[in-house]
């Protein structure tokens, strides 16, 4: 009987075939034949792997259950108790399913289940390749160690899930997209298939959609685009001594680029750098040129880089908390973060876009406010940070709190004129608290406070340099505010009081403070005596002297010749009610802009005034009186008063106001220079776009007469006659020039009309006034006045008489020739008029050069002889033409060399301010002479040479002025003369640019000439002088002749991007509007009564709207009345009535003081007449015709 010994390790029991008898057979029970050391180690490692896999599966199952619970919690439709029951049922089902499935169902259970080594051994044996054939074992194709002939298997094991559930497992079903509801092989009439899907399939279908690939516009894709791209890293080559070692790529460093640049610099040689050893900056210095400043393009930052920039800002502000510019940059930098930070958050949230935009905008404002408050706390004395904080608070705070903060700020800094300007602009444009009386009192408070600072009465704050100039600017702004709101009587009274207060001040009160002088002036104002501009006015000084002697004698009734013609105000009662109101309102504005005074001769008193608003009390003007100590500022006051009345003035002497956009309200500003019959001289009197007093009408309304009317002409004459004796000779000449240009302006206005009778009568009056001015002793030898009078005769058609006047003036000029700027300007005008007249210049080219009267005139100027009216037609000899060209060249060289000391030493300009040579006449004569004798290229070279030198000097002076602006030791007079010098030079540069552009445009219109030269000239000039309306007018006229607008649009964008002026933006809008009118006219040609055969062109409309929206969103342009009124008219002409009405109410929030805006509203929306009139009454705008009075007029 054979004994079978049970192995100690059954898994490794083996049958021994070869048994060898040994002497130690009795001890075999101690030797286990089934135990092997290698098998035990593999068993142990297998057990550890299974253990770790079971733990990982347990953790992942727990995570999936937790995530499923969270998803179930987010569903708000199922109550919590039902959710718990469902989760418990699912767990039970899972446990049952695990027990029923495969041999390793225990792997997903608890850790207490035992894993036997025999099972592991069996599994390991079963996984060996030789254990079973491939066709009967399931395996992944990627796990195959070697390719086989049959890479598939037959699974004969039944799937119990197919018996339990209704359908196959969704993972085992191939997905496809079904087209239609039919099935192949079925009769659609008798048979059909139901394609209804279960709820689980629908739910899984939605999940599959989410898991599908995202398109480029999806949230994930947009976030991926905004994210920082991965930085590509190139493998570095290890340092190796072997130079022939193979590498996987060729290294391309920056050394090659640097070598190319260095070799390029060495090759370039010039007269200043013959050997090529100097660098570019040294070579430019040797040539007397400065190195051009290259502006770096704006870099687009990724979100990560922007976060780094924020950290950099914070670090720099911690190190430099007193850097106010850095604080302002950090505040404005927050706007750049809005698109990135809030854009990503908006995509993650499912809110309405407008609501998200509002919330993000408010969040940015609050963030900027917190930064601004921190900056103000660090720098409490900085006005710029305070202003930035209040600008941010304007959209966050209540009106009462905002007003209180503004008053607190101006109380803390009463000597800061820029701060006062900002406060006045806020008070003037804040609709919630706006009334005319409040704003007028704010102006009075500002001027009285600055006067106290100037006088030294306010000891706590010193007077800053240039305070008198700032006070005059604010005073002028107050007068224009009153005029725009309709209170022209108060504005005129302010100017009258200031002229008396400045030029007729008694000597006994000059040493007193401004407030005390105003107390002495009040009795004179209330006495009823004649004021400036009124008949019999003698001034404040004479009145006080006569008061000490016993008062004035009553004037006789013969001196009064006031005969008012009562005309019927309502001429056509059949017109609509709103039209009659507009006509009567504008006619009363034109007739009654002077303040009403009781006539003592007729026995009138203050109770006899029909309109109490026409009377002006001292309380309305007293706080605004200021003292001007220098003659230059006194002349500036007079010139601004004449400009207020509508007279042309010298812009250099009057100086441009600080905020010119507030005054623009006339469309003539955009249409100037369109006179085709005056291509060279149409820019002599540039239009400022500011309505004169008495001209209050709608945007497209026309003036009833050219000037101020009979009453206004008498007023201006009295003002000028009264001021002539008290002014020095140069100031009298400036006033006389303004008066004569005003007469020429009225003649030009009549020329544009078609009434020849009015032109003849106006011409007679203008000639009579001009001759009276020339008869004055100071004006008889004034070449400037003779020049204007000759131009007046030429405009009236008296060419022979005009030539005689020119010849007479040249005789008075003597033999100064090219050394006299006034004589050069006179000859230039004469030659330009001769060229415009067309004598000697034929279309298509220049013929008979020596026969041209213009060449004869310019040759006589160079020779220093005086041509007569008859000799101007005599042909000069070729030798005289050559001599004249040589003389012009020498004179221009001398004139430009005279600028060189100022160019290299700008400090020298302070010693002789009036020694700056006026080159516009000389350069214009030389360029026109070259054009008529040699061609347009020679003339263009002359202009380019002169502009380069003058603009270089101007840039030097600007830089020098900025460097010296922080020096407190500079006197106010010194700074005033320096600014005057800079303004005069800027005027010369702009005049040369206008002359050059006008000549090139004229030549382009009469002959074949490439347009590139004219475009290049205009773009370079406008890049330097972006606020020049004549240059923009020429540019728009040139570009609108061609259909392609891309070049002009890009140029407009480049200029407006770097400039905050409203002028280029207005011309950009005007150019697009003209282009739209051209396209609309072409579309409607031949279809006046029928509908359009094609759809209208909407692209230009959207572009114009976009330009308007971007312009009104800027801070400097949002208070321009002309811009808002143009926008409103454009929308209405485009058929968008509701949007036009919305823009009207939006305009009221920015320019509530502009009466013209309300009149446009009445014209465009007549059904709201009562509402607009009530609003004008509420805001205290001047209403000359109440609706109750209108009803009475219509009943009569």
């Amino acid at each position: 009987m054979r004994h079978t010994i049970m192995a100690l390790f059954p898994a490794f029991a083996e049958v021994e075939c070869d048994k060898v008898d040994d002497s130690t057979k009795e001890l075999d029970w101690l030797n286990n034949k089934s135990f092997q050391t290698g098998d035990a180690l593999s068993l142990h490692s297998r057990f550890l792997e299974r253990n770790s896999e079971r733990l990982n599966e347990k953790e992942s199952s727990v995570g999936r259950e937790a995530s499923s619970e969270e998803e179930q919690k987010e569903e708000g439709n199922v109550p919590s108790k039902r959710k718990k029951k469902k989760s418990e049922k699912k767990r039970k089902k899972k446990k049952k399913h695990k027990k029923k499935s495969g041999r390793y169902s225990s792997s997903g259970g608890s850790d207490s289940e035992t894993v036997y080594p025999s099972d592991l051994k069996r599994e390991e044996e079963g996984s060996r390749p030789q254990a079973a054939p491939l066709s009967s074992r399931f395996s992944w194709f990627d796990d195959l160690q070697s390719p086989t002939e049959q890479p598939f298997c037959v699974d004969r094991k039944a799937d119990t899930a197919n018996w339990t559930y209704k359908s196959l497992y969704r993972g085992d079903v191939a997905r496809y997209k079904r087209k239609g509801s039919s099935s192949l092989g079925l009769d659609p009439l008798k048979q059909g298939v139901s394609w209804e899907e279960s709820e689980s399939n629908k739910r899984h279908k939605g999940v599959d959609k989410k898991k599908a690939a995202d398109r480029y516009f999806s949230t994930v894709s947009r976030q991926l685009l905004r994210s920082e791209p991965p930085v590509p890293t190139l493998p570095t080559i290890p340092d190796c001594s072997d130079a022939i070692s193979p590498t996987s790529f060729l290294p391309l460093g920056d050394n090659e680029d640097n070598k190319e640049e260095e070799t390029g610099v060495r090759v370039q040689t010039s007269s200043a750098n013959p050997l090529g050893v100097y660098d570019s900056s040294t070579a430019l210095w040797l040539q007397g040129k400065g190195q051009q400043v290259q502006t770096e393009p704006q870099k687009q930052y990724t979100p990560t880089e922007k976060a780094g920039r924020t950290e950099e800002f914070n670090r720099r502000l911690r190190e430099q908390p007193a850097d106010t510019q850095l604080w302002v940059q950090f505040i404005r930098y927050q706007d750049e973060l809005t698109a990135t930070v809030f854009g990503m958050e908006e995509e993650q949230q499912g809110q309405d876009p407008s609501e998200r935009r509002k919330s993000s905008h408010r969040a940015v404002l609050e963030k900027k406010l917190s930064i601004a408050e921190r900056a103000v706390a660090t720098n409490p004395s900085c006005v710029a940070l305070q202003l930035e904080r209040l600008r941010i608070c304007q959209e966050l705070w209540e009106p009462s709190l905002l007003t209180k903060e503004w008053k607190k700020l101006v109380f803390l800094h009463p000597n800061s004129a820029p701060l006062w300007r900002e406060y006045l602009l806020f008070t003037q444009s804040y609709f919630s608290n706006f009334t005319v009386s409040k704003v007028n009192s704010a102006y009075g408070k500002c001027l009285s406070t600055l006067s106290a600072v100037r006088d030294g009465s306010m000891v706590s704050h010193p007077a800053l340099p240039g305070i008198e100039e700032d006070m005059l600017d604010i005073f002028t702004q107050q007068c224009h505010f009153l005029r725009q709101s309709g209170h022209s009587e108060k504005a005129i009274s302010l100017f009258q009081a200031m002229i008396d207060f400045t030029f007729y001040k008694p000597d006994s009160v000059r040493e007193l403070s401004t407030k005390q002088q105003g107390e002495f002036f009040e009795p004179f104002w209330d006495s009823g005596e004649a004021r400036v501009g009124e008949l019999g006015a003698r001034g404040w000084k004479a009145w006080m002297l006569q008061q000490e002697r016993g008062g004035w004698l009553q004037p006789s009734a013969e001196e009064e010749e006031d005969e008012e013609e009562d005309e019927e105000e309502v001429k056509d009662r059949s017109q609509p009610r709103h039209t009659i109101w507009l006509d009567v309102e504008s006619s009363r504005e034109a007739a009654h802009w002077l303040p009403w005074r009781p006539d003592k001769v007729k026995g009138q008193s203050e109770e006899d005034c029909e309109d109490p608003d026409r009377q002006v009390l001292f309380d309305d003007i007293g706080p605004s009186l200021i003292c001007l100590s220098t003659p230059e500022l006194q002349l500036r006051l007079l010139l601004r008063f004449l400009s207020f009345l509508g007279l042309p003035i010298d812009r250099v002497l009057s100086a441009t106001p600080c905020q010119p956009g507030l005054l623009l309200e006339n469309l003539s500003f955009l249409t100037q220079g369109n006179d085709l019959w005056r291509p060279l001289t149409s820019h002599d009197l540039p239009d400022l776009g500011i309505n004169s007093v008495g001209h209050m009408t709608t945007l497209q309304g026309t003036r009833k007469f050219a000037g101020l009317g009979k009453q206004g002409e008498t007023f201006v004459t009295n003002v000028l006659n009264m001021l002539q004796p008290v002014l020095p000779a140069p100031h009298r000449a400036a006033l006389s020039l303004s008066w004569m240009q005003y007469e020429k302006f009225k003649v030009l206005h009549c020329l544009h009309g078609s009434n020849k009778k009015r032109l003849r009568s106006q011409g007679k009056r203008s000639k009579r006034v001009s001759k009276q001015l020339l008869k004055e002793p100071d004006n008889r030898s004034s070449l400037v006045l003779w020049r204007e009078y000759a131009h007046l005769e030429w405009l009236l058609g008296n060419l022979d008489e005009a030539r005689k006047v020119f010849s007479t003036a040249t005789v008075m000029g003597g033999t100064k020739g090219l050394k006299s700027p006034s004589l050069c300007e006179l000859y230039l005008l004469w030659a330009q008029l001769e060229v415009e007249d067309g004598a000697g210049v034929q279309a298509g080219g220049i013929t008979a050069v020596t026969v041209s009267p213009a060449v004869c005139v310019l040759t006589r100027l160079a020779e220093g002889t005086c041509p007569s009216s008859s000799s101007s037609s005599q042909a000069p000899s070729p030798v005289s033409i050559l001599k004249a060209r040589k003389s012009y060249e020498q004179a221009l060289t001398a004139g430009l060399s005279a600028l060189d000391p100022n160019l290299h030493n700008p400090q020298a300009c302070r010693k002789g301010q009036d020694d700056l040579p006026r080159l516009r006449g000389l350069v214009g004569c030389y360029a026109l002479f070259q054009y008529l004798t040699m061609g347009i290229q020679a003339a263009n070279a002359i202009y380019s040479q002169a502009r380069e030198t003058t603009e270089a000097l101007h840039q030097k002076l600007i830089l020098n002025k900025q460097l010296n602006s922080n020096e407190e030791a500079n006197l106010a007079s010194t700074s005033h003369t320096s600014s005057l010098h800079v303004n005069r030079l800027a005027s010369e540069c702009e005049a040369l640019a206008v002359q050059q552009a006008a000549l090139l445009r004229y030549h382009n219109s009469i002959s074949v000439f490439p347009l590139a030269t004219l475009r290049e000239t205009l773009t370079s000039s406008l890049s330097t002088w972006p606020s020049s309306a004549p240059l923009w007018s020429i540019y728009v006229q040139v570009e609108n002749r061609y259909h392609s607008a891309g070049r002009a649009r890009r140029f407009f964008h480049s200029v407006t991007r770097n400039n905050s002026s409203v002028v280029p933006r207005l011309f950009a809008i005007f150019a697009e509007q003209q282009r739209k009118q051209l396209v609309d006219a072409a579309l409607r040609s031949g279809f006046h009564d029928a509908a359009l055969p094609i759809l209208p062109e909407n692209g230009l409309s959207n572009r114009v709207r976009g330009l308007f929206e971007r312009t009104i969103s800027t801070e400097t342009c949002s208070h321009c009345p002309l811009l808002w009124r143009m926008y409103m008219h454009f929308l209405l002409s485009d058929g968008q009535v509701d949007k036009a009405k919305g823009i009207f109410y939006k305009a009221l929030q920015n320019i509530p003081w502009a009466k013209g805006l309300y009149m446009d509203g009445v014209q465009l929306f007549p059904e709201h007449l009562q509402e607009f009139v009530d609003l004008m009454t509420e805001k205290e705008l001047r209403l000359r015709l109440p609706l109750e009075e209108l009803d009475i007029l219509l009943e009569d």
Side-chain angles (χ1 to χ4, degrees), residues 609-623:
C609 182
E610 298 179 355
D611 189 356
D613 290 332
R614 293 185 62 189
Q615 300 184 38
V616 182
L617 304 178
F618 183 79
D619 294 339
D620 298 328
I621 64 170

Side-chain angles (χ1 to χ4, degrees), residues 520-584:
F520 278 95
F521 184 76
E522 182 176 3
F524 164 72
W525 186 264
D526 295 335
S527 63
E529 298 298 331
R531 301 168 187 168
V532 175
E534 298 177 2
L535 190 63
R538 296 177 178 88
W540 179 26
K541 183 177 181 180
W543 178 83
M544 284 198 69
L545 292 176
Q546 192 64 29
Q547 284 295 311
E548 298 174 358
R549 301 174 185 175
W552 296 108
L553 297 176
Q554 292 295 334
S556 60
E558 297 177 355
E559 298 181 7
E560 291 290 338
E561 299 179 358
D562 189 8
E563 297 180 1
E564 297 181 359
E565 298 179 1
D566 295 335
E567 298 181 359
E568 187 177 359
E569 292 182 319
V570 183
K571 298 179 180 180
D572 189 1
R573 299 178 185 272
S574 62
Q575 292 182 347
R577 188 165 179 255
H578 73 279
T579 306
I580 298 176
W581 182 84
L582 287 173
D583 292 339
V584 177

Side-chain angles (χ1 to χ4, degrees), residues 267-288:
V267 172
Q268 294 177 359
T269 59
S270 61
S271 59
N273 189 13
L275 300 179
V277 295
Y278 301 133
D279 59 353
S280 58
S281 59
T282 308
L284 289 174
W285 180 82
L286 291 173
Q287 297 174 8

